[in-house]
Amino acid sequence: QVQFVESGGGLVQPGGSLRLSCLASGFTFSHYHMSWYRQYPGRERELVAEISTDGYWTNFVDSVKGRFTISRDNAKNTLYLQMNNLKPEDTAVYYCTLRDRPEYWGQGTQVTVSS
């Protein structure tokens, strides 16, 4: 079955960086566009970034453009989110999923940006 295991979250000061990873299994990873979402307490998940199967096309929500980078390693079935210049409003639980079928979710990884 489709599974995602997110990792790499933690506590970081404003202006700091984190790199999130998402290990995918249960499907042919290289065949699917992928996305990162985040969820604030009490709110719906929101799209943060997305990437094509080959990694050549990416898209970001306006609030993270210029600060976040999405990438993937198809040989390792792994999706990444490099987050730089983090802000307190980036504090959320981050999830990866299939771009065109956002119905499979892992446990997420908590990112907390605070001084």
Side-chain angles (χ1 to χ4, degrees):
Q1 67 278 24
V2 175
Q3 289 188 325
F4 300 109
V5 179
E6 299 93 346
S7 62
L11 173 63
V12 63
Q13 293 186 341
S17 298
L18 283 174
R19 188 195 196 201
L20 306 185
S21 298
C22 167
L23 178 61
S25 62
F27 65 102
T28 305
F29 181 73
S30 61
H31 289 184
Y32 290 86
H33 305 314
M34 295 294 296
S35 297
W36 282 100
Y37 281 71
R38 63 186 176 189
Q39 187 172 28
Y40 300 110
R43 293 175 57 178
E44 298 280 326
R45 292 186 184 95
E46 63 176 37
L47 179 67
V48 175
E50 47 193 4
I51 187 169
S52 60
T53 54
D54 57 10
Y56 282 100
W57 175 86
T58 60
N59 186 48
F60 300 89
V61 66
D62 285 347
S63 60
V64 308
K65 282 181 180 177
R67 301 189 297 121
F68 289 13
T69 303
I70 187 172
S71 62
R72 64 192 296 162
D73 186 335
N74 287 339
K76 295 182 179 179
N77 288 354
T78 302
L79 180 72
Y80 302 100
L81 186 68
Q82 177 67 44
M83 307 186 295
N84 298 328
N85 191 21
L86 282 160
K87 303 177 179 181
E89 51 264 41
D90 296 317
T91 296
V93 180
Y94 285 72
Y95 301 86
C96 64
T97 191
L98 302 170
R99 176 184 180 264
D100 299 320
R101 294 191 64 182
E103 60 196 67
Y104 300 98
W105 303 100
Q107 83 290 348
T109 186
Q110 174 71 49
V111 171
T112 302
V113 185
S114 174
S115 55

